[in-house]
PDB file of all heavy atoms in Angstrom:
ATOM      1  N   ILE A 256      82.978   7.398 103.079  1.00  0.00           N
ATOM      2  CA  ILE A 256      82.906   5.957 102.806  1.00  0.00           C
ATOM      3  C   ILE A 256      82.568   5.158 104.063  1.00  0.00           C
ATOM      4  O   ILE A 256      82.382   3.951 103.988  1.00  0.00           O
ATOM      5  CB  ILE A 256      84.220   5.452 102.187  1.00  0.00           C
ATOM      6  CG1 ILE A 256      85.409   5.757 103.100  1.00  0.00           C
ATOM      7  CG2 ILE A 256      84.430   6.074 100.815  1.00  0.00           C
ATOM      8  CD1 ILE A 256      86.727   5.195 102.584  1.00  0.00           C
ATOM      9  N   PHE A 257      82.490   5.844 105.207  1.00  0.00           N
ATOM     10  CA  PHE A 257      82.042   5.178 106.436  1.00  0.00           C
ATOM     11  C   PHE A 257      81.491   6.222 107.384  1.00  0.00           C
ATOM     12  O   PHE A 257      82.049   7.304 107.539  1.00  0.00           O
ATOM     13  CB  PHE A 257      83.196   4.427 107.114  1.00  0.00           C
ATOM     14  CG  PHE A 257      82.780   3.667 108.353  1.00  0.00           C
ATOM     15  CD1 PHE A 257      82.302   2.369 108.255  1.00  0.00           C
ATOM     16  CD2 PHE A 257      82.860   4.247 109.614  1.00  0.00           C
ATOM     17  CE1 PHE A 257      81.911   1.657 109.382  1.00  0.00           C
ATOM     18  CE2 PHE A 257      82.474   3.547 110.748  1.00  0.00           C
ATOM     19  CZ  PHE A 257      81.989   2.239 110.626  1.00  0.00           C
ATOM     20  N   ASN A 258      80.385   5.889 108.012  1.00  0.00           N
ATOM     21  CA  ASN A 258      79.781   6.741 109.027  1.00  0.00           C
ATOM     22  C   ASN A 258      79.000   5.822 109.962  1.00  0.00           C
ATOM     23  O   ASN A 258      77.963   5.292 109.593  1.00  0.00           O
ATOM     24  CB  ASN A 258      78.852   7.781 108.390  1.00  0.00           C
ATOM     25  CG  ASN A 258      78.274   8.752 109.414  1.00  0.00           C
ATOM     26  OD1 ASN A 258      78.210   8.455 110.607  1.00  0.00           O
ATOM     27  ND2 ASN A 258      77.839   9.917 108.946  1.00  0.00           N
ATOM     28  N   ASN A 259      79.521   5.616 111.173  1.00  0.00           N
ATOM     29  CA  ASN A 259      78.868   4.622 112.033  1.00  0.00           C
ATOM     30  C   ASN A 259      77.612   5.155 112.714  1.00  0.00           C
ATOM     31  O   ASN A 259      76.991   4.431 113.494  1.00  0.00           O
ATOM     32  CB  ASN A 259      79.834   4.028 113.061  1.00  0.00           C
ATOM     33  CG  ASN A 259      80.294   5.033 114.102  1.00  0.00           C
ATOM     34  OD1 ASN A 259      80.052   6.229 113.985  1.00  0.00           O
ATOM     35  ND2 ASN A 259      80.976   4.546 115.113  1.00  0.00           N
ATOM     36  N   ALA A 260      77.231   6.388 112.391  1.00  0.00           N
ATOM     37  CA  ALA A 260      75.903   6.830 112.808  1.00  0.00           C
ATOM     38  C   ALA A 260      74.843   6.130 111.975  1.00  0.00           C
ATOM     39  O   ALA A 260      73.664   6.093 112.327  1.00  0.00           O
ATOM     40  CB  ALA A 260      75.773   8.341 112.667  1.00  0.00           C
ATOM     41  N   GLN A 261      75.292   5.550 110.848  1.00  0.00           N
ATOM     42  CA  GLN A 261      74.375   4.872 109.937  1.00  0.00           C
ATOM     43  C   GLN A 261      74.555   3.357 109.954  1.00  0.00           C
ATOM     44  O   GLN A 261      73.850   2.643 109.263  1.00  0.00           O
ATOM     45  CB  GLN A 261      74.601   5.398 108.513  1.00  0.00           C
ATOM     46  CG  GLN A 261      74.422   6.905 108.402  1.00  0.00           C
ATOM     47  CD  GLN A 261      74.938   7.446 107.081  1.00  0.00           C
ATOM     48  OE1 GLN A 261      75.440   6.707 106.260  1.00  0.00           O
ATOM     49  NE2 GLN A 261      74.815   8.751 106.890  1.00  0.00           N
ATOM     50  N   THR A 262      75.530   2.855 110.721  1.00  0.00           N
ATOM     51  CA  THR A 262      75.758   1.418 110.837  1.00  0.00           C
ATOM     52  C   THR A 262      75.644   1.016 112.306  1.00  0.00           C
ATOM     53  O   THR A 262      76.559   1.255 113.083  1.00  0.00           O
ATOM     54  CB  THR A 262      77.141   1.038 110.286  1.00  0.00           C
ATOM     55  OG1 THR A 262      78.143   1.835 110.949  1.00  0.00           O
ATOM     56  CG2 THR A 262      77.224   1.295 108.798  1.00  0.00           C
ATOM     57  N   LEU A 263      74.512   0.422 112.671  1.00  0.00           N
ATOM     58  CA  LEU A 263      74.240   0.084 114.068  1.00  0.00           C
ATOM     59  C   LEU A 263      74.189  -1.433 114.244  1.00  0.00           C
ATOM     60  O   LEU A 263      73.835  -2.177 113.321  1.00  0.00           O
ATOM     61  CB  LEU A 263      72.908   0.702 114.503  1.00  0.00           C
ATOM     62  CG  LEU A 263      72.742   2.214 114.263  1.00  0.00           C
ATOM     63  CD1 LEU A 263      71.356   2.667 114.716  1.00  0.00           C
ATOM     64  CD2 LEU A 263      73.830   2.997 114.988  1.00  0.00           C
ATOM     65  N   ASP A 264      74.542  -1.884 115.461  1.00  0.00           N
ATOM     66  CA  ASP A 264      74.439  -3.305 115.745  1.00  0.00           C
ATOM     67  C   ASP A 264      73.013  -3.654 116.155  1.00  0.00           C
ATOM     68  O   ASP A 264      72.105  -2.804 116.096  1.00  0.00           O
ATOM     69  CB  ASP A 264      75.440  -3.716 116.835  1.00  0.00           C
ATOM     70  CG  ASP A 264      75.226  -2.958 118.156  1.00  0.00           C
ATOM     71  OD1 ASP A 264      74.113  -2.414 118.366  1.00  0.00           O
ATOM     72  OD2 ASP A 264      76.150  -2.918 118.970  1.00  0.00           O
ATOM     73  N   GLU A 265      72.796  -4.893 116.577  1.00  0.00           N
ATOM     74  CA  GLU A 265      71.445  -5.348 116.899  1.00  0.00           C
ATOM     75  C   GLU A 265      70.840  -4.600 118.078  1.00  0.00           C
ATOM     76  O   GLU A 265      69.626  -4.534 118.220  1.00  0.00           O
ATOM     77  CB  GLU A 265      71.477  -6.851 117.195  1.00  0.00           C
ATOM     78  CG  GLU A 265      71.873  -7.696 115.983  1.00  0.00           C
ATOM     79  CD  GLU A 265      71.952  -9.160 116.316  1.00  0.00           C
ATOM     80  OE1 GLU A 265      71.818  -9.490 117.519  1.00  0.00           O
ATOM     81  OE2 GLU A 265      72.140  -9.985 115.395  1.00  0.00           O
ATOM     82  N   GLU A 266      71.696  -4.035 118.932  1.00  0.00           N
ATOM     83  CA  GLU A 266      71.221  -3.295 120.098  1.00  0.00           C
ATOM     84  C   GLU A 266      71.098  -1.805 119.834  1.00  0.00           C
ATOM     85  O   GLU A 266      70.796  -1.035 120.744  1.00  0.00           O
ATOM     86  CB  GLU A 266      72.158  -3.546 121.284  1.00  0.00           C
ATOM     87  CG  GLU A 266      72.228  -5.018 121.691  1.00  0.00           C
ATOM     88  CD  GLU A 266      73.219  -5.257 122.812  1.00  0.00           C
ATOM     89  OE1 GLU A 266      73.911  -4.283 123.196  1.00  0.00           O
ATOM     90  OE2 GLU A 266      73.313  -6.397 123.302  1.00  0.00           O
ATOM     91  N   GLY A 267      71.353  -1.391 118.588  1.00  0.00           N
ATOM     92  CA  GLY A 267      71.213   0.011 118.239  1.00  0.00           C
ATOM     93  C   GLY A 267      72.432   0.860 118.513  1.00  0.00           C
ATOM     94  O   GLY A 267      72.368   2.090 118.415  1.00  0.00           O
ATOM     95  N   ASN A 268      73.580   0.231 118.858  1.00  0.00           N
ATOM     96  CA  ASN A 268      74.803   0.975 119.126  1.00  0.00           C
ATOM     97  C   ASN A 268      75.639   1.102 117.861  1.00  0.00           C
ATOM     98  O   ASN A 268      75.657   0.188 117.021  1.00  0.00           O
ATOM     99  CB  ASN A 268      75.619   0.270 120.212  1.00  0.00           C
ATOM    100  CG  ASN A 268      74.857   0.160 121.521  1.00  0.00           C
ATOM    101  OD1 ASN A 268      74.240   1.116 121.968  1.00  0.00           O
ATOM    102  ND2 ASN A 268      74.899  -1.011 122.133  1.00  0.00           N
ATOM    103  N   PRO A 269      76.361   2.228 117.677  1.00  0.00           N
ATOM    104  CA  PRO A 269      77.205   2.393 116.489  1.00  0.00           C
ATOM    105  C   PRO A 269      78.274   1.307 116.417  1.00  0.00           C
ATOM    106  O   PRO A 269      78.903   0.971 117.418  1.00  0.00           O
ATOM    107  CB  PRO A 269      77.833   3.776 116.694  1.00  0.00           C
ATOM    108  CG  PRO A 269      76.908   4.489 117.622  1.00  0.00           C
ATOM    109  CD  PRO A 269      76.365   3.428 118.537  1.00  0.00           C
ATOM    110  N   ILE A 270      78.470   0.744 115.230  1.00  0.00           N
ATOM    111  CA  ILE A 270      79.494  -0.273 115.025  1.00  0.00           C
ATOM    112  C   ILE A 270      80.833   0.422 114.784  1.00  0.00           C
ATOM    113  O   ILE A 270      80.936   1.316 113.949  1.00  0.00           O
ATOM    114  CB  ILE A 270      79.133  -1.164 113.833  1.00  0.00           C
ATOM    115  CG1 ILE A 270      77.853  -1.966 114.145  1.00  0.00           C
ATOM    116  CG2 ILE A 270      80.274  -2.107 113.469  1.00  0.00           C
ATOM    117  CD1 ILE A 270      77.366  -2.815 113.008  1.00  0.00           C
ATOM    118  N   GLU A 271      81.850   0.011 115.512  1.00  0.00           N
ATOM    119  CA  GLU A 271      83.148   0.658 115.399  1.00  0.00           C
ATOM    120  C   GLU A 271      83.828   0.287 114.081  1.00  0.00           C
ATOM    121  O   GLU A 271      83.695  -0.827 113.580  1.00  0.00           O
ATOM    122  CB  GLU A 271      84.052   0.257 116.573  1.00  0.00           C
ATOM    123  CG  GLU A 271      83.587   0.800 117.914  1.00  0.00           C
ATOM    124  CD  GLU A 271      83.474   2.316 117.913  1.00  0.00           C
ATOM    125  OE1 GLU A 271      84.362   2.981 117.337  1.00  0.00           O
ATOM    126  OE2 GLU A 271      82.495   2.845 118.470  1.00  0.00           O
ATOM    127  N   LEU A 272      84.566   1.243 113.532  1.00  0.00           N
ATOM    128  CA  LEU A 272      85.302   1.033 112.298  1.00  0.00           C
ATOM    129  C   LEU A 272      86.503   0.135 112.572  1.00  0.00           C
ATOM    130  O   LEU A 272      87.305   0.414 113.463  1.00  0.00           O
ATOM    131  CB  LEU A 272      85.766   2.381 111.741  1.00  0.00           C
ATOM    132  CG  LEU A 272      86.612   2.344 110.469  1.00  0.00           C
ATOM    133  CD1 LEU A 272      85.822   1.762 109.308  1.00  0.00           C
ATOM    134  CD2 LEU A 272      87.110   3.743 110.121  1.00  0.00           C
ATOM    135  N   LYS A 273      86.626  -0.947 111.796  1.00  0.00           N
ATOM    136  CA  LYS A 273      87.731  -1.888 111.987  1.00  0.00           C
ATOM    137  C   LYS A 273      88.800  -1.737 110.903  1.00  0.00           C
ATOM    138  O   LYS A 273      89.984  -1.787 111.190  1.00  0.00           O
ATOM    139  CB  LYS A 273      87.205  -3.328 111.974  1.00  0.00           C
ATOM    140  CG  LYS A 273      86.199  -3.637 113.072  1.00  0.00           C
ATOM    141  CD  LYS A 273      86.811  -3.565 114.451  1.00  0.00           C
ATOM    142  CE  LYS A 273      85.812  -3.990 115.519  1.00  0.00           C
ATOM    143  NZ  LYS A 273      86.358  -3.880 116.871  1.00  0.00           N
ATOM    144  N   SER A 274      88.370  -1.570 109.639  1.00  0.00           N
ATOM    145  CA  SER A 274      89.332  -1.567 108.533  1.00  0.00           C
ATOM    146  C   SER A 274      88.913  -0.570 107.462  1.00  0.00           C
ATOM    147  O   SER A 274      87.721  -0.320 107.275  1.00  0.00           O
ATOM    148  CB  SER A 274      89.448  -2.958 107.907  1.00  0.00           C
ATOM    149  OG  SER A 274      89.829  -3.925 108.864  1.00  0.00           O
ATOM    150  N   VAL A 275      89.914  -0.018 106.770  1.00  0.00           N
ATOM    151  CA  VAL A 275      89.677   0.877 105.638  1.00  0.00           C
ATOM    152  C   VAL A 275      90.492   0.365 104.458  1.00  0.00           C
ATOM    153  O   VAL A 275      91.698   0.112 104.582  1.00  0.00           O
ATOM    154  CB  VAL A 275      90.082   2.332 105.956  1.00  0.00           C
ATOM    155  CG1 VAL A 275      89.824   3.223 104.744  1.00  0.00           C
ATOM    156  CG2 VAL A 275      89.329   2.848 107.165  1.00  0.00           C
ATOM    157  N   TYR A 276      89.824   0.199 103.317  1.00  0.00           N
ATOM    158  CA  TYR A 276      90.469  -0.283 102.100  1.00  0.00           C
ATOM    159  C   TYR A 276      90.460   0.823 101.055  1.00  0.00           C
ATOM    160  O   TYR A 276      89.401   1.264 100.623  1.00  0.00           O
ATOM    161  CB  TYR A 276      89.732  -1.505 101.551  1.00  0.00           C
ATOM    162  CG  TYR A 276      89.720  -2.685 102.499  1.00  0.00           C
ATOM    163  CD1 TYR A 276      88.748  -2.785 103.497  1.00  0.00           C
ATOM    164  CD2 TYR A 276      90.668  -3.699 102.394  1.00  0.00           C
ATOM    165  CE1 TYR A 276      88.734  -3.860 104.367  1.00  0.00           C
ATOM    166  CE2 TYR A 276      90.657  -4.775 103.268  1.00  0.00           C
ATOM    167  CZ  TYR A 276      89.690  -4.855 104.251  1.00  0.00           C
ATOM    168  OH  TYR A 276      89.669  -5.919 105.116  1.00  0.00           O
ATOM    169  N   LEU A 277      91.645   1.294 100.664  1.00  0.00           N
ATOM    170  CA  LEU A 277      91.794   2.314  99.632  1.00  0.00           C
ATOM    171  C   LEU A 277      92.376   1.660  98.385  1.00  0.00           C
ATOM    172  O   LEU A 277      93.561   1.331  98.328  1.00  0.00           O
ATOM    173  CB  LEU A 277      92.712   3.443 100.112  1.00  0.00           C
ATOM    174  CG  LEU A 277      93.172   4.445  99.046  1.00  0.00           C
ATOM    175  CD1 LEU A 277      91.981   5.126  98.388  1.00  0.00           C
ATOM    176  CD2 LEU A 277      94.127   5.470  99.635  1.00  0.00           C
ATOM    177  N   TYR A 278      91.525   1.443  97.372  1.00  0.00           N
ATOM    178  CA  TYR A 278      91.961   0.910  96.081  1.00  0.00           C
ATOM    179  C   TYR A 278      92.084   2.099  95.123  1.00  0.00           C
ATOM    180  O   TYR A 278      91.095   2.731  94.794  1.00  0.00           O
ATOM    181  CB  TYR A 278      90.931  -0.077  95.531  1.00  0.00           C
ATOM    182  CG  TYR A 278      90.813  -1.371  96.314  1.00  0.00           C
ATOM    183  CD1 TYR A 278      90.041  -1.440  97.465  1.00  0.00           C
ATOM    184  CD2 TYR A 278      91.464  -2.518  95.880  1.00  0.00           C
ATOM    185  CE1 TYR A 278      89.926  -2.625  98.179  1.00  0.00           C
ATOM    186  CE2 TYR A 278      91.349  -3.706  96.584  1.00  0.00           C
ATOM    187  CZ  TYR A 278      90.581  -3.760  97.732  1.00  0.00           C
ATOM    188  OH  TYR A 278      90.472  -4.928  98.427  1.00  0.00           O
ATOM    189  N   TYR A 279      93.300   2.385  94.682  1.00  0.00           N
ATOM    190  CA  TYR A 279      93.480   3.537  93.811  1.00  0.00           C
ATOM    191  C   TYR A 279      94.147   3.109  92.503  1.00  0.00           C
ATOM    192  O   TYR A 279      94.860   2.100  92.431  1.00  0.00           O
ATOM    193  CB  TYR A 279      94.319   4.615  94.500  1.00  0.00           C
ATOM    194  CG  TYR A 279      95.805   4.349  94.487  1.00  0.00           C
ATOM    195  CD1 TYR A 279      96.622   4.981  93.554  1.00  0.00           C
ATOM    196  CD2 TYR A 279      96.393   3.466  95.385  1.00  0.00           C
ATOM    197  CE1 TYR A 279      97.980   4.740  93.522  1.00  0.00           C
ATOM    198  CE2 TYR A 279      97.746   3.215  95.361  1.00  0.00           C
ATOM    199  CZ  TYR A 279      98.538   3.852  94.425  1.00  0.00           C
ATOM    200  OH  TYR A 279      99.891   3.598  94.394  1.00  0.00           O
ATOM    201  N   ALA A 280      93.913   3.887  91.448  1.00  0.00           N
ATOM    202  CA  ALA A 280      94.544   3.639  90.153  1.00  0.00           C
ATOM    203  C   ALA A 280      95.775   4.530  90.040  1.00  0.00           C
ATOM    204  O   ALA A 280      95.659   5.752  90.110  1.00  0.00           O
ATOM    205  CB  ALA A 280      93.566   3.937  89.023  1.00  0.00           C
ATOM    206  N   PRO A 281      96.951   3.957  89.883  1.00  0.00           N
ATOM    207  CA  PRO A 281      98.176   4.774  89.829  1.00  0.00           C
ATOM    208  C   PRO A 281      98.310   5.534  88.526  1.00  0.00           C
ATOM    209  O   PRO A 281      97.696   5.176  87.521  1.00  0.00           O
ATOM    210  CB  PRO A 281      99.290   3.725  89.973  1.00  0.00           C
ATOM    211  CG  PRO A 281      98.680   2.472  89.447  1.00  0.00           C
ATOM    212  CD  PRO A 281      97.227   2.525  89.800  1.00  0.00           C
ATOM    213  N   ARG A 282      99.086   6.591  88.545  1.00  0.00           N
ATOM    214  CA  ARG A 282      99.408   7.356  87.353  1.00  0.00           C
ATOM    215  C   ARG A 282     100.806   6.938  86.904  1.00  0.00           C
ATOM    216  O   ARG A 282     101.808   7.462  87.387  1.00  0.00           O
ATOM    217  CB  ARG A 282      99.373   8.860  87.641  1.00  0.00           C
ATOM    218  CG  ARG A 282      97.997   9.383  88.010  1.00  0.00           C
ATOM    219  CD  ARG A 282      98.047  10.864  88.369  1.00  0.00           C
ATOM    220  NE  ARG A 282      98.587  11.662  87.281  1.00  0.00           N
ATOM    221  CZ  ARG A 282      99.700  12.374  87.349  1.00  0.00           C
ATOM    222  NH1 ARG A 282     100.406  12.384  88.464  1.00  0.00           N
ATOM    223  NH2 ARG A 282     100.111  13.079  86.325  1.00  0.00           N
ATOM    224  N   TYR A 283     100.881   5.973  86.007  1.00  0.00           N
ATOM    225  CA  TYR A 283     102.172   5.485  85.551  1.00  0.00           C
ATOM    226  C   TYR A 283     102.814   6.475  84.587  1.00  0.00           C
ATOM    227  O   TYR A 283     102.148   7.134  83.808  1.00  0.00           O
ATOM    228  CB  TYR A 283     102.023   4.129  84.864  1.00  0.00           C
ATOM    229  CG  TYR A 283     101.655   3.020  85.800  1.00  0.00           C
ATOM    230  CD1 TYR A 283     100.568   2.198  85.529  1.00  0.00           C
ATOM    231  CD2 TYR A 283     102.375   2.809  86.957  1.00  0.00           C
ATOM    232  CE1 TYR A 283     100.223   1.177  86.396  1.00  0.00           C
ATOM    233  CE2 TYR A 283     102.042   1.791  87.828  1.00  0.00           C
ATOM    234  CZ  TYR A 283     100.964   0.965  87.551  1.00  0.00           C
ATOM    235  OH  TYR A 283     100.632  -0.031  88.407  1.00  0.00           O
TER     236      TYR A 283
END
Side-chain angles (χ1 to χ4, degrees):
I256 57 176
F257 183 87
N258 184 338
N259 67 350
Q261 303 168 359
T262 54
L263 307 179
D264 59 20
E265 295 178 354
E266 299 177 355
N268 300 315
I270 295 177
E271 292 303 319
L272 177 63
K273 299 294 185 182
S274 302
V275 180
Y276 298 85
L277 169 59
Y278 292 82
Y279 79 100
R282 295 176 58 242
Y283 291 128

